[in-house]
Amino acid sequence: MNDSEVDDLVIQIAVHLDGFTPQIRPGHPAYLIGPEGARLVVHPLWRQEGRITVLGVYPDGYRSLFPDLRRHQISVSATRSPEHVAKKIARGLLPGYLRDLATCRARLSGQKAEEATRAELVETLLTMLPGATFTEKQRETVLQWRLGATSGSFAVYGDTTSNSIEIRMADRELTERVAYAIQQRSM
């Protein structure tokens, strides 16, 4: 099966697959684009004339963020009718793929909320501690500062429920101000 035949088949499958439209671009694999960012790529199976493989694709970067995501794909006879192929996709691929795609989006949304909370706390601490420096990592921010003999560091992870604080040689007022700022941000 050549690329042109796969492109034609994808167009015909899309007619029978609710909510999906074909995406055909010369020199690229054929896709079925669906609701909520669902993307199915269709390839002919190498050395298996008359068969295609349909693979559910996650948006760029999701695999690196969530390496535990399952791979969803099926192999289907392309010699059957496009309606039959669409039914095989709807029954054998879409339920698991769409469920995992939704889970992935929810996890990413939760991660963005954590990042926003972390950024807010870091901003508060930077305004309280002039001259503080910070190092940003993927899921952690470390602040370090020195005010005379007083020094300290904060490791801020995700949200305010799991942070570590270390303050060395600080007076009571500074310690209370820092504790109060963190308490206010965690409410």
Side-chain angles (χ1 to χ4, degrees), residues 115 118-119 122 134-142 156:
E115 289 171 4
R118 184 176 75 204
V122 168
F134 67 97
T135 306
E136 192 81 47
K137 297 181 182 173
Q138 185 176 1
R139 296 194 48 113
E140 170 187 58
T141 304
V142 177
V156 184

Side-chain angles (χ1 to χ4, degrees), residues 46-116:
W46 195 49
R47 294 189 184 179
Q48 292 188 25
E49 190 63 35
R51 290 196 68 77
I52 58 171
T53 185
V54 182
L55 173 69
V57 181
Y58 296 103
D60 293 338
Y62 275 43
R63 290 299 253 169
S64 62
L65 289 172
F66 311 114
D68 60 331
L69 287 174
R70 260 188 64 208
R71 184 180 173 123
H72 296 278
Q73 82 179 51
I74 60 169
S75 171
V76 183
S77 172
T79 59
R80 303 288 302 265
S81 72
E83 184 177 12
H84 174 79
V85 175
K87 284 180 183 176
K88 287 282 196 179
I89 292 169
R91 287 188 207 135
L93 176 71
L94 289 181
Y97 168 65
L98 293 176
R99 180 193 63 239
D100 287 353
L101 182 63
T103 300
C104 185
R105 288 189 181 283
R107 286 168 62 188
L108 187 60
S109 146
Q111 188 177 38
K112 286 182 180 178
E114 278 184 5
E115 289 171 4

Side-chain angles (χ1 to χ4, degrees), residues 3-183:
D3 290 341
S4 175
E5 292 170 328
V6 171
D7 293 349
D8 291 342
L9 181 61
V10 166
I11 292 168
Q12 294 170 12
I13 292 169
V15 171
H16 302 286
L17 202 56
D18 286 337
F20 282 83
T21 58
Q23 181 183 40
I24 309 297
R25 299 179 316 189
H28 295 278
Y31 283 90
L32 289 161
I33 308 298
E36 302 296 321
R39 292 184 323 152
L40 307 176
V41 64
V42 181
H43 294 285
L45 277 172
W46 195 49
R47 294 189 184 179
Q48 292 188 25
E49 190 63 35
R51 290 196 68 77
I52 58 171
T53 185
V54 182
L55 173 69
V57 181
Y58 296 103
D60 293 338
Y62 275 43
R63 290 299 253 169
S64 62
L65 289 172
F66 311 114
D68 60 331
L69 287 174
R70 260 188 64 208
R71 184 180 173 123
H72 296 278
Q73 82 179 51
I74 60 169
S75 171
V76 183
S77 172
T79 59
R80 303 288 302 265
S81 72
E83 184 177 12
H84 174 79
V85 175
K87 284 180 183 176
K88 287 282 196 179
I89 292 169
R91 287 188 207 135
L93 176 71
L94 289 181
Y97 168 65
L98 293 176
R99 180 193 63 239
D100 287 353
L101 182 63
T103 300
C104 185
R105 288 189 181 283
R107 286 168 62 188
L108 187 60
S109 146
Q111 188 177 38
K112 286 182 180 178
E114 278 184 5
E115 289 171 4
T117 301
R118 184 176 75 204
E120 199 174 294
L121 178 59
V122 168
E123 183 179 322
T124 298
L125 293 170
L126 286 172
T127 59
M128 288 179 56
L129 303 165
T133 61
F134 67 97
T135 306
E136 192 81 47
K137 297 181 182 173
Q138 185 176 1
R139 296 194 48 113
E140 170 187 58
T141 304
V142 177
L143 284 95
Q144 296 179 330
W145 84 94
R146 178 173 297 284
L147 292 170
T150 305
S151 64
S153 65
F154 293 92
V156 184
Y157 307 97
D159 61 15
T160 58
T161 60
S162 59
N163 299 310
S164 67
I165 302 170
E166 179 184 336
I167 303 174
R168 294 176 296 280
M169 298 181 63
D171 62 7
R172 182 181 176 129
E173 180 188 348
L174 177 61
T175 304
E176 287 175 352
R177 283 178 39 208
V178 169
Y180 179 75
I182 292 171
Q183 178 188 16

